[in-house]
Amino acid sequence: MKKALALLIFAILIGCSSNGNGPDNDPEFTAAYFPVSDGDTWYYTNSNSEKIKREIDGDTLVNGYNCIRVLENGGTAEAWRIINAGDSVGFYVHMLTFDFAGDTIQPYFAPPLRIPFNMQVNDRYDFDSDGFYEQDGDMYHFDIIGWIVFEGFIDKSVPAGSFGDVARLHYYEPDGSSDTIEYYEYYAEGVGLLDNELIRLDSAFINGEWIR
């Protein structure tokens, strides 16, 4: 999730295709699309042609939750959690780091931003979360409201390679006026985020194997 923060103005099997991960080899959108082992590393280029390195590095505590720490170019940038059982299965973003009005802020989210697992084609998930961050000793708050539509699986190519059974998520976020911000995220099984319209995957080192 990345343009969720616009309201402030506001990563497949290795190789070219997947054989499927569900009954009859039909793909299923599961935690396999979100590898989170220590040492897993992704190399991206952003829309400003800047290079970004993300890697999993142990745990961090965010708002009382023990989360997976994600470094970006060496500093803690995100905090994730995965729930694999029960009605709350999904990938959760508890904290993000980003630039806003010339400053770097690290909001945490209550409830955390969620991508549900096991969605079927055209399933819609509505989200409504509060972001909190501290700046110069003061606490600030903003709302993130919108919905995700799971548009199924596609073939997609990025600099890291060509992938099959890529999950496509379509985000909709009202911007506070009559407009709605729309964007896509693409995830590959065993790889993670390929493209979110701001960064694209150049290569990755997942579970001891290079993807490039």
Side-chain angles (χ1 to χ4, degrees):
M1 294 190 179
K2 39 85 181 167
K3 289 187 184 174
L5 301 169
L7 293 178
L8 278 173
I9 333 190
F10 11 97
I12 232 168
L13 296 172
I14 297 169
C16 295
S17 65
S18 169
N19 291 324
N21 61 6
D24 301 320
N25 287 331
D26 290 333
E28 294 179 338
F29 189 50
T30 68
Y33 282 78
F34 299 88
V36 290
S37 296
D38 265 0
D40 286 350
T41 306
W42 300 263
Y43 298 87
Y44 296 97
T45 299
N46 69 15
S47 55
N48 294 321
S49 298
E50 298 167 332
K51 299 299 182 180
I52 295 171
K53 176 184 176 181
R54 289 183 177 174
E55 58 186 317
I56 303 298
D57 183 41
D59 300 329
T60 185
L61 193 66
V62 177
N63 196 31
Y65 291 93
N66 193 41
C67 299
I68 299 159
R69 183 199 312 272
V70 184
L71 303 182
E72 184 168 303
N73 294 341
T76 300
E78 300 189 11
W80 301 343
R81 194 163 56 105
I82 289 179
I83 296 178
N84 279 314
D87 295 334
S88 299
V89 294
F91 172 78
Y92 291 80
V93 176
H94 285 254
M95 184 272 286
L96 290 172
T97 299
F98 69 105
D99 293 326
F100 173 65
D103 294 314
T104 299
I105 63 175
Q106 289 187 312
Y108 68 85
F109 303 100
L113 304 173
R114 179 192 182 202
I115 299 176
F117 296 152
N118 304 323
M119 288 190 291
Q120 303 300 308
V121 176
N122 295 324
D123 278 357
R124 168 174 164 161
Y125 171 70
D126 292 276
F127 55 87
D128 184 352
S129 186
D130 295 312
F132 300 91
Y133 66 98
E134 183 178 350
Q135 189 175 40
D136 298 327
D138 295 321
M139 287 298 298
Y140 295 88
H141 159 265
F142 58 93
D143 298 319
I144 297 178
I145 299 172
W147 62 95
I148 306 169
V149 175
F150 177 64
E151 295 190 348
F153 300 95
I154 65 168
D155 296 332
K156 186 168 179 65
S157 295
V158 293
S162 297
F163 302 89
D165 294 340
V166 172
R168 179 164 64 183
L169 302 178
H170 192 174
Y171 285 79
Y172 299 82
E173 296 176 13
D175 67 357
S177 66
S178 59
D179 295 327
T180 297
I181 299 167
E182 297 185 37
Y183 59 94
Y184 289 92
E185 290 182 346
Y186 301 88
Y187 293 87
E189 183 187 355
V191 179
L193 179 67
L194 297 180
D195 185 353
N196 65 7
E197 300 184 355
L198 288 180
I199 58 175
R200 301 181 74 208
L201 186 67
D202 296 319
S203 62
F205 186 73
I206 307 295
N207 196 29
E209 300 284 348
W210 277 103
I211 300 164
R212 58 189 176 189

